């Protein structure tokens, strides 16, 4: 590492002078000195730098071709404090600042200062003040992980992997989205199994399947907890479900439906800033037969992501509003064991990820339904689909115009009927492309559970 991570005092996201030494140490140990996923490897462009904010720290992610590894620097040039993520990977394979062209190698050292005489440039490049602050990185299970704290502590913390996913037999469907809620709000939600029949009615749940959840906490310590639900969802029709929380930001449900599949629901909640996190959701399947696997593989990833958005938006509005409520949760039932366990871990072990922060004002439904900046722009599959739709729309409109002219001038009833049918099909396709484009940009804000 070029330089250690300084305290982030005064930046709201982390402990500051208002917190006592014990609270600051607890935060560093359980939130800062931890690995977090920041992107799926498939969505990163090795030819361009990518910005990301982790625990309130602005980072730039970039591919160091010489070392064949991803790098994570503080997204700030030591020269004039501009974001390096606005720059480029230059011809030497280094990260180049967009303002004055200072160039940085994979270790964070400045190698080029174009405005300086050779001797002065060499002297300045040797000065530690010209170096970028670097974070440790690692890749595993298709994800890029960044260590939020000091680099020398990175080897002491385990990567938050899901051991089951080391088995190559899993078919894994992935998605992500930047959500307008705190990481703990998201974790409470995805751990809580009892909301699914109501919140997600008509998407992944049904109200008529609601029943008492007789779950029990089977293990708990500073590293996380596990919960067993012997009956499992859908009134026992799917089999027992087992839940694991790996502190501070990973959880998964494990369920085997006999005769159909074993499947997991894996969620990482990476804290970005107060009231915002990045969700990484993974849905691994091991099917008992080949057909479901083939059907899932046949569906384009961007179309799968549109379905995932609908499920996320089932509760996105009220979760964003929930964390601004002033009341205290009342958790009287056995179904609340998941949320109680998480709250106990926060209160007794780690504290919140942003203990000195104030949330921004509540957003309206239109802002909360935005999909382009929170997902599409950063997703290789969805951004590619959007470009394709916009590229093919003029071609389709031109084809429709030609068909319309031909239908008006060609002799013969059969030819005209054929062209009218083609016109109809083309119009339907154009309408569907328009609908898909809108859905890649924003949701409609109408959860399926409330539709008549």
């Amino acid at each position: 590492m070029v330089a250690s991570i300084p305290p982030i005092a005064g930046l709201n996201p982390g402990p500051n002078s208002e917190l006592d030494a014990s609270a600051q140490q607890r935060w560093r140990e359980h939130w800062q000195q931890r690995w977090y996923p920041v992107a799926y490897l498939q969505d990163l462009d090795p030819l361009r730098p990518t910005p990301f904010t982790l625990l309130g720290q602005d980072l730039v992610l970039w591919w160091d071709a010489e070392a064949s590894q991803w790098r994570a620097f503080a997204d700030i040039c030591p020269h004039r404090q501009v974001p390096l993520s606005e720059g480029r990977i230059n011809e030497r394979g280094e990260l180049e600042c967009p303002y004055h062209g200072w160039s940085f190698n994979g270790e964070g050292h400045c190698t080029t200062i174009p405005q300086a005489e050779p001797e002065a440039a060499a002297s300045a490049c040797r000065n530690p003040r010209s170096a970028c602050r670097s974070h440790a990185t690692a890749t595993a299970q298709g994800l890029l992980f960044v260590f939020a704290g000091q680099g020398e502590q990175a080897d002491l913390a385990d990567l938050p992997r899901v051991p089951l996913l080391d088995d190559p037999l899993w078919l894994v469907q992935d998605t992500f989205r930047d959500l307008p809620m705190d990481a703990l709000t998201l974790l409470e939600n995805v751990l809580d199994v009892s909301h699914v029949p109501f919140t997600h009615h008509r998407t992944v749940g049904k109200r008529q399947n609601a029943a008492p959840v007789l779950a029990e906490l089977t293990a708990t310590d500073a590293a996380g907890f596990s919960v067993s639900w012997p009956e499992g969802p859908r009134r026992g029709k799917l089999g027992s479900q087992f839940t694991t929380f790996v502190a501070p930001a990973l959880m998964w449900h494990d369920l085997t439906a006999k005769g159909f599949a074993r499947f997991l629901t894996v969620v990482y909640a990476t804290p970005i800033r107060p009231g915002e996190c990045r969700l990484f959701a993974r849905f691994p399947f091991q099917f008992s037969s080949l057909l479901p696997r083939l059907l899932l593989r046949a569906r384009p990833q961007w179309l799968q992501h549109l379905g995932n958005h609908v499920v996320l938006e089932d509760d996105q509005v009220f979760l964003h509003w929930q964390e601004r409520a002033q009341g205290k949760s009342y958790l009287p039932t056995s179904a609340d064991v998941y949320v109680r366990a998480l709250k106990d871990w926060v209160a007794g072990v780690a504290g919140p990820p942003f203990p000195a922060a104030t949330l921004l004002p509540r957003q309206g439904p239109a802002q909360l339904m935005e999909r382009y900046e929170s997902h599409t722009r950063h997703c290789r599959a969805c951004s590619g689909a959007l470009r394709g739709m916009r590229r093919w729309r003029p071609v389709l409109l031109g084809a429709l115009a030609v068909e319309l002219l031909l239908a008006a001038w060609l002799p013969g009833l059969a030819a005209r009927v054929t062209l009218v049918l083609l016109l109809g099909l083309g119009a339907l396709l154009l309408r569907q492309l328009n609908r898909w484009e809108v859905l890649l940009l924003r949701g409609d804000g109408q959860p399926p559970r409330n539709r008549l």
Side-chain angles (χ1 to χ4, degrees):
M1 297 300 102
V2 172
S4 62
I5 311 296
I8 55 178
L11 289 184
N12 263 352
N16 60 28
S17 56
E18 297 176 3
L19 299 175
D20 60 34
S22 174
Q24 291 193 38
Q25 177 57 36
R26 185 166 68 152
W27 179 84
R28 291 191 189 95
E29 178 182 354
H30 296 288
W31 288 104
Q32 188 186 45
Q33 305 295 340
R34 289 290 182 266
W35 290 94
Y36 295 93
V38 295
Y40 290 113
L41 294 175
Q42 67 179 9
D43 292 320
L44 289 169
D45 186 346
L47 301 179
R48 294 181 177 86
T50 300
F52 187 78
T53 301
L54 174 62
L55 273 177
Q57 302 176 81
D58 291 330
L59 305 177
V60 55
L61 315 172
W62 65 283
W63 175 249
D64 179 4
E66 183 176 354
S68 295
Q69 72 176 85
W70 288 98
R71 302 289 191 178
F73 290 174
D75 193 12
I76 184 169
C77 180
H79 177 216
R80 295 283 293 280
Q81 314 297 294
V82 302
L84 292 168
S85 59
E86 291 294 321
R88 65 173 187 140
I89 310 299
N90 63 24
E91 295 79 5
R92 297 189 301 279
E94 296 183 341
L95 181 62
E96 184 180 282
C97 177
Y99 203 7
H100 296 92
W102 285 33
S103 184
F104 303 92
N105 65 19
E107 296 300 318
H109 296 296
C110 182
T111 64
T112 304
I113 301 178
Q115 297 78 18
E117 296 291 330
E119 185 175 338
S123 175
C125 288
R126 288 194 298 270
N127 191 313
R129 292 184 62 188
S130 70
C132 291
R133 179 156 47 88
S134 178
H135 291 253
T137 61
T139 58
Q141 297 183 338
L143 288 160
L144 173 63
F145 292 87
V146 171
F147 191 71
Q150 297 179 352
E152 58 268 22
Q153 301 294 319
D155 291 339
L156 302 179
D158 294 330
L159 277 181
R161 299 163 56 258
V162 180
L164 291 166
L165 295 188
D166 289 334
D167 185 345
L169 295 180
W170 290 100
L171 170 63
V172 184
Q173 293 193 311
D174 292 328
T175 192
F176 71 92
R177 183 162 170 173
D178 293 339
L179 298 178
M181 65 192 72
D182 192 81
L184 288 176
T185 301
L186 172 61
L187 286 169
E188 283 188 11
N189 175 254
V190 294
L191 283 165
D192 173 18
V193 300
S194 62
H195 82 287
V196 174
F198 295 96
T199 301
H200 301 295
H201 177 68
R202 289 186 170 180
T203 51
V204 292
K206 292 182 179 180
R207 293 190 186 103
Q208 54 267 37
N209 287 331
V213 177
L214 302 179
E216 59 177 323
L217 191 66
T218 54
T220 182
D221 57 26
F225 57 80
S226 57
V227 179
S228 171
W229 183 17
E231 183 184 39
R234 299 187 188 178
R235 297 177 178 267
K237 294 178 182 178
L238 292 181
S240 301
Q241 181 168 287
F242 304 93
T243 300
T244 302
F245 168 65
V246 177
L250 167 64
M251 62 74 58
W252 67 85
H253 298 304
D254 183 357
L255 188 150
T256 300
K258 293 181 180 179
F260 176 61
R262 182 183 184 183
F263 49 96
L264 311 179
T265 301
V266 179
V267 167
Y268 290 92
T270 297
I272 295 177
R273 57 181 63 88
E276 187 177 353
C277 69
R278 176 166 287 188
L279 159 81
F280 293 92
R282 318 197 76 174
F283 305 102
F285 298 88
Q286 287 187 352
F287 292 105
S288 302
S289 60
L290 183 60
L291 182 59
R293 187 180 186 93
L294 293 175
L295 291 175
L296 279 185
R297 282 191 177 279
R299 183 170 61 166
Q301 188 178 43
W302 63 269
L303 202 54
Q304 171 219 320
H305 287 177
L306 290 182
N308 297 144
H309 285 314
V310 174
V311 178
L312 290 172
E313 290 164 3
D314 278 344
D315 43 23
Q316 183 154 298
V317 171
F318 63 70
L319 290 178
H320 172 76
W321 292 8
Q322 173 200 38
E323 62 186 8
R324 287 159 177 77
Q326 300 300 313
K328 187 175 182 180
S329 297
Y330 176 49
L331 307 171
T333 74
S334 61
D336 297 317
V337 62
Y338 304 87
V339 176
R340 280 198 302 268
L342 182 63
K343 288 184 177 295
D344 288 346
W345 176 80
V346 173
V349 178
F354 302 102
T358 301
L359 292 174
L360 294 174
R362 194 170 72 183
Q363 297 179 25
Q367 294 169 290
L368 297 174
M369 292 300 104
E370 189 279 328
R371 293 179 180 178
Y372 180 76
E373 290 293 336
S374 61
H375 174 82
T376 300
R377 186 166 73 89
H378 311 286
C379 173
R380 186 182 298 271
C382 291
S383 60
L386 184 61
R387 287 193 301 271
M389 291 172 194
R390 290 173 171 173
R391 183 170 58 247
W392 282 102
R393 180 184 289 106
V395 176
L396 185 56
L397 286 170
L400 288 173
V402 171
E403 289 173 2
L404 186 60
L405 288 173
L406 290 175
W409 291 100
L410 276 181
L413 180 62
R416 289 187 178 184
V417 169
T418 301
L419 285 171
V420 168
L421 289 174
L422 289 175
L423 272 171
L425 289 174
L428 289 174
L429 178 58
L430 182 62
R431 179 185 178 188
Q432 186 60 53
L433 285 178
N434 290 337
R435 179 175 178 272
W436 279 332
E437 179 177 351
V438 169
L439 292 176
L440 287 166
L441 301 178
R442 61 184 179 274
D444 63 13
Q446 301 298 319
R449 67 175 179 274
N450 293 338
R451 293 174 186 163
L452 298 177

